Amino acid sequence: MHKKMLLPFLMLLVIFTTACTAGTAGDEESKSSGGKSSKKNNVVIGIEADAATLLANTDVNYITDVQIRNIYDPLIKRNPETGGFEPALATEWKNIDEYTWEITLRKDVKFQNGDPFNAEAVKFNIDYILDKKNNSTYLSRWADIKEVKVIADDKVQIITSKPFPTMIARIADDLLIMDPGNVKKLGLEEAAKNPVGTGPYKVKEWVRDDHLTLIANDDYWKGKPSIKEATFRYIPEFSSRLSAFLSGEIDLFKNIPVDSLDNVKNNENSKVESIGSSRVNYLALNTLHKGPLQNQKVRQAINYAVDVDELLKTVLNGNGTKMTGPLSKINADYVETKDYGYNPDKAKELLKEAGYDPKDLKLTLDTPNGRYPMDSQVAQAIAAQLKRIGIDVKVQVNEWGNHLTKIQQRKAGDMFILGWGPTFDAQSTIQNLFMKDAPYSGFYDSEVEKAIQKAIPIFNQDKRKQAFGEIQQLLVDQAAWVPLWQQADLYAVNKNLDFKPKVDESMQVFDMGWK
């Protein structure tokens, strides 16, 4: 029997399409023959940026993850509609006690080069994360793993140094299985360019900052992929992705610019697919270097001065669900928290109490451009709102990779725009964004970290939710962020492509097909 520990949350799922007529965007043959061609066997996906690496278990970054999950398989996967746990390379799992988890593996699975998948491969990949010299940004999420034991060819035990109630979530959300033999033979640098997994697609060509092309693994353990070739084409700007889609150069992209939604709806070769994402977007208030943001009253003042309702209405055209704390309402551990609301007079009052004249405050705000819906426009709008109370904000627009690097290296400005997800439980967000050593943290408070460390090992679900609920309120009181919204994911899709968005935001080409 599986011990699945299904998360009790309600996913908000809205899927809508528009009526379309004949023709296939991106298919030259169908263009020339009035749409009466054979089905395509390739797909081109527009994406915001290049993968940081093609090595698994290295980069905590959606852009990397969404591409390499076509090359590698997880042990346990998420149900695309509920977020619950389902078998993949693992068939069963259970916790023997609070410190020991046992995973039973699928038999007769091979890597793309013919090497066998087994328990040694699982141990290798977890040990890879734990080895500090590999610089895996997953390490902080796995640091409580004490040992991985190979019990049999198809069975491993994971031993932890303290109770680890979210082990299955970590396995499902993080762990992908790369071939140990390939990594040992080529070394990390070459294996990052020539990866080998058990997944449905193999690397055909990777041209940095241009595209990644994958070809079908016809020996895939789940069957031959129907789409024989898939290309992720890197197009950083929203407007450029939209133009490429409307001209038929790409077949699919995520995050339609909300001010251009009608352009897709009204295109005869297109349809729109939508889903309420588990991703959260927020304005981080950086306390990791000296400056006014280390003052709690200044952070609270900024919360009062940012009008999230106005941003949702005027910049996002209503495509998002307002948040008041660090978690979205569809998170299993969500508790209702106080909304600061928009109160510029209160903001000025708090700044005065903190010893600041708003006109003397000159802050910086880092933002990506084209990673999240209207991200740089949101940043400019926030700067304009803060200007209303006298705060001067310089917006620094970054290429996505540089944006992440600045945050990781603690070189981001006083504030920065970031999103986090997909996330289904409190620990996945709170541990990774509010602890001092977490790679994408922008906030640290010793009392908050103590509370997080105390909550992490709690196995009892009710007590665990209560503990993380108290932390959520503490973070709101501390004004660690300006919470913005739960993201609404809007996909532009070729009308003949069978694609349905998933709550985990994955783009599994194996699940796609052409009509």
Side-chain angles (χ1 to χ4, degrees):
M1 295 289 294
H2 300 116
K3 185 158 184 175
K4 297 187 179 179
M5 299 175 64
L6 290 177
L7 300 172
F9 63 89
L10 175 65
M11 303 307 303
L12 303 178
L13 177 61
V14 182
I15 300 176
F16 58 97
T17 60
T18 57
C20 307
T21 57
T24 306
D27 186 347
E28 292 302 322
E29 184 180 357
S30 67
K31 286 179 184 178
S32 63
S33 59
K36 297 180 180 180
S37 67
S38 59
K39 288 194 296 185
K40 290 178 63 173
N41 64 3
N42 69 298
V43 66
V44 182
I45 300 169
I47 195 166
E48 298 93 320
D50 198 348
T53 178
L54 298 185
L55 283 173
N57 312 313
T58 302
D59 180 42
V60 180
N61 177 355
Y62 165 79
I63 294 296
T64 298
D65 194 67
V66 75
Q67 297 179 70
I68 67 174
R69 280 186 181 268
N70 290 281
I71 301 168
Y72 305 105
D73 285 317
L75 295 182
I76 300 165
K77 66 178 183 178
R78 293 276 187 180
N79 180 286
E81 294 185 1
T82 69
F85 303 122
E86 295 182 343
L89 291 177
T91 57
E92 298 180 9
W93 49 90
K94 62 183 178 180
N95 59 300
I96 296 173
D97 55 48
E98 291 187 350
Y99 296 85
T100 307
W101 293 82
E102 186 168 281
I103 314 294
T104 301
L105 307 176
R106 194 176 298 278
K107 297 179 181 180
D108 300 323
V109 173
K110 293 186 180 298
F111 287 99
Q112 293 154 351
N113 61 3
D115 288 349
F117 161 73
N118 52 32
E120 289 288 352
V122 175
K123 174 176 170 57
F124 171 87
N125 280 272
I126 298 176
D127 287 346
Y128 172 87
I129 294 173
L130 299 176
D131 189 341
K132 291 183 179 179
K133 74 173 182 289
N134 293 326
N135 296 316
S136 171
T137 52
Y138 288 95
L139 177 58
S140 63
R141 299 151 75 125
W142 289 75
D144 293 333
I145 305 298
K146 182 179 179 181
E147 182 183 5
V148 182
K149 291 183 177 180
V150 173
I151 304 302
D153 206 43
D154 65 341
K155 201 177 298 290
V156 295
Q157 285 185 354
I158 303 173
I159 316 299
T160 64
S161 59
K162 62 179 68 172
F164 201 143
T166 56
M167 174 61 73
I168 301 306
R170 289 276 56 78
I171 291 173
D173 295 342
D174 295 353
L175 187 63
L176 298 173
I177 305 301
M178 52 186 172
D179 177 31
N182 185 63
V183 176
K184 293 173 182 177
K185 177 182 177 181
L186 299 182
L188 293 180
E189 185 175 345
E190 287 304 310
K193 305 172 189 174
N194 301 280
V196 174
T198 63
Y201 289 89
K202 303 180 287 186
V203 173
K204 177 181 179 181
E205 181 181 56
W206 187 29
V207 178
R208 273 297 198 179
D209 299 317
D210 190 80
H211 70 273
L212 169 67
T213 298
L214 307 175
I215 55 172
N217 171 21
D218 286 337
D219 295 322
Y220 186 44
W221 60 274
K222 290 176 70 175
K224 292 183 179 182
S226 63
I227 293 178
K228 298 305 179 184
E229 186 171 287
T231 296
F232 288 89
R233 182 176 160 194
Y234 308 136
I235 310 175
E237 300 250 347
F238 278 137
S239 58
S240 298
R241 287 200 296 279
L242 177 64
S243 295
F245 177 78
L246 295 176
S247 66
E249 296 173 36
I250 63 175
D251 302 301
L252 168 68
F253 78 93
K254 180 174 176 279
N255 293 336
I256 304 171
V258 295
D259 57 356
S260 303
L261 189 58
D262 287 343
N263 290 353
V264 179
K265 288 182 177 180
N266 296 330
N267 184 282
E268 65 175 5
N269 293 316
S270 309
K271 60 184 177 180
V272 173
E273 296 284 0
S274 175
I275 192 169
S277 172
S278 59
R279 179 175 296 277
V280 298
N281 294 155
Y282 61 93
L283 176 68
L285 304 179
N286 198 346
T287 69
L288 300 183
H289 56 70
K290 290 183 179 180
L293 273 296
Q294 289 187 323
N295 188 306
Q296 179 183 2
K297 289 186 177 181
V298 174
R299 299 194 303 272
Q300 290 173 332
I302 291 174
N303 268 268
Y304 281 116
V306 174
D307 189 343
V308 176
D309 291 316
E310 181 183 67
L311 295 173
L312 275 168
K313 181 179 179 180
T314 61
V315 184
L316 287 190
N317 294 345
N319 288 284
T321 302
K322 182 180 178 180
M323 294 166 45
T324 61
L327 303 182
S328 71
K329 291 183 178 180
I330 62 175
N331 192 291
D333 298 313
Y334 168 83
V335 298
E336 188 171 351
T337 51
K338 169 183 170 290
D339 180 13
Y340 276 86
Y342 179 58
N343 190 335
D345 292 333
K346 180 68 173 176
K348 293 176 183 177
E349 178 184 326
L350 283 166
L351 288 174
K352 184 177 180 181
E353 292 177 11
Y356 289 95
D357 183 335
K359 295 179 182 178
D360 294 333
L361 279 177
K362 298 186 183 299
L363 305 178
T364 56
L365 195 170
D366 277 287
T367 180
N369 181 28
R371 171 62 186 93
Y372 307 110
M374 311 300 286
D375 45 16
S376 61
Q377 293 89 340
V378 167
Q380 295 290 350
I382 289 173
Q385 290 180 345
L386 293 177
K387 186 66 175 177
R388 293 174 191 168
I389 65 166
I391 298 176
D392 185 23
V393 177
K394 178 183 179 182
V395 175
Q396 175 63 50
V397 179
N398 306 311
E399 181 272 330
W400 173 239
N402 291 338
H403 188 67
L404 290 183
T405 298
K406 288 175 77 171
I407 296 170
Q408 289 176 319
Q409 295 180 355
R410 309 305 194 225
K411 294 180 180 179
D414 301 292
M415 303 175 285
F416 57 84
I417 296 283
L418 199 63
W420 185 257
T423 178
F424 303 96
D425 65 288
Q427 184 179 339
S428 296
T429 296
I430 290 173
Q431 180 183 11
N432 290 294
L433 295 177
F434 297 107
M435 294 183 69
K436 190 174 185 179
D437 295 331
Y440 297 111
S441 177
F443 173 86
Y444 173 71
D445 177 85
S446 60
E447 293 304 313
V448 171
E449 180 144 335
K450 286 178 185 177
I452 296 171
Q453 294 284 20
K454 187 177 179 179
I456 286 172
I458 299 174
F459 256 83
N460 181 279
Q461 184 60 39
D462 292 336
K463 291 180 180 179
R464 183 180 180 83
K465 184 168 183 176
Q466 179 181 352
F468 275 107
E470 292 170 359
I471 294 169
Q472 289 170 63
Q473 187 59 59
L474 181 58
L475 288 167
V476 171
D477 294 340
Q478 286 281 343
W481 284 355
V482 177
L484 297 177
W485 40 74
Q486 170 196 337
Q487 187 168 305
D489 287 341
L490 300 171
Y491 294 79
V493 187
N494 183 307
K495 72 166 189 178
N496 289 323
L497 181 64
D498 182 10
F499 166 82
K500 295 296 180 185
K502 302 177 181 180
V503 296
D504 65 2
E505 304 179 37
S506 63
M507 294 188 190
Q508 297 290 335
V509 180
F510 184 79
D511 296 333
M512 302 179 197
W514 287 101
K515 297 176 182 177

